[in-house]
Amino acid sequence: MSLPFPLSGPTLVVGPSNVGKTRCTAHALETWVDAHGPAGCVVLDFAPTVERDGTILGGPLTQFTTVPEEVYHGVVDAHAPRAESESDDEAMALAAENADAASDRLDAAPADPAAVFVNDATIALQSETALTARLTDYCDRADCAVLNAFESDELGTDNPVSAGERAAVAQLRSWADRVVGLPFR
């Protein structure tokens, strides 16, 4: 399978649950490593795994590929705020925990990346708008950045987590050189 975008500059892959965003990002990582090797490669994996109606949604990049040992692999044991909470306040508290953990992984990442691959970027950005700029600034240091993000109203629209997520996606859309919507239409 060939990628529907070049591995240069920033690319944002968006879509609802279970359309292949993580698989596409894993394929981009494999393609990059095959062409350039693992040196300078950074993987930030913010995806929680959620079961809804007997279907597994989301999950780590490693469900589709093996991340080479030489690659910086910053993994967050993320919460799914809307699925794991009973109130907006509780959801925002979980989203803030995700943002703090993602910020820590970003702080620990190599200063001069060649390529950055981010799985489920918006999980880290649902409560902390300043983190979106930090993430895009970091990705701008690389020759290639591929980020995927949930974009749908299937998990609600009138809650603060969804509002934060929409704001983050809007920022990522305006920043990226290209936006790839899944499923392909």
Side-chain angles (χ1 to χ4, degrees), residues 37-49:
C41 195
V42 171
V43 171
L44 298 169
D45 203 335
F46 304 145
T49 302

Side-chain angles (χ1 to χ4, degrees):
M1 170 176 119
S2 64
L3 287 171
F5 51 85
L7 288 177
S8 63
T11 300
L12 177 63
V13 179
V14 295
S17 297
N18 273 9
V19 294
K21 299 180 302 291
T22 300
R23 187 181 304 271
C24 183
T25 305
H27 185 58
L29 169 64
E30 291 169 345
T31 303
W32 176 271
V33 170
D34 287 349
H36 304 281
C41 195
V42 171
V43 171
L44 298 169
D45 203 335
F46 304 145
T49 302
V50 178
E51 183 178 334
R52 186 171 12 140
D53 300 326
T55 301
I56 299 295
L57 305 176
L61 212 58
T62 53
Q63 66 187 316
F64 300 114
T65 192
T66 300
V67 176
E69 284 185 31
E70 303 88 350
V71 169
Y72 172 80
H73 192 193
V75 177
V76 170
D77 185 16
H79 300 284
R82 290 169 288 218
E84 296 177 28
S85 61
E86 300 292 325
S87 69
D88 286 348
D89 288 343
E90 188 179 337
M92 286 304 292
L94 293 174
E97 286 182 31
N98 289 340
D100 289 346
S103 182
D104 290 346
R105 299 318 174 278
L106 194 54
D107 289 344
D112 190 22
V116 179
F117 300 88
V118 184
N119 187 35
D120 210 345
T122 51
I123 279 290
L125 309 175
Q126 293 167 330
S127 74
E128 183 59 53
T129 57
L131 188 54
T132 305
R134 279 191 58 216
L135 180 61
T136 57
D137 288 348
Y138 181 76
C139 290
D140 283 339
R141 298 180 204 167
D143 295 329
C144 167
V146 177
L147 293 75
N148 72 54
F150 175 78
E151 185 178 53
S152 173
D153 62 2
E154 71 187 88
L155 298 178
T157 57
D158 54 348
N159 61 70
V161 169
S162 294
E165 190 167 65
R166 282 192 311 277
V169 169
Q171 279 186 267
L172 293 173
R173 277 180 164 280
S174 67
W175 160 79
D177 287 349
R178 67 200 65 80
V179 177
V180 177
L182 297 180
F184 297 118
R185 299 171 227 269

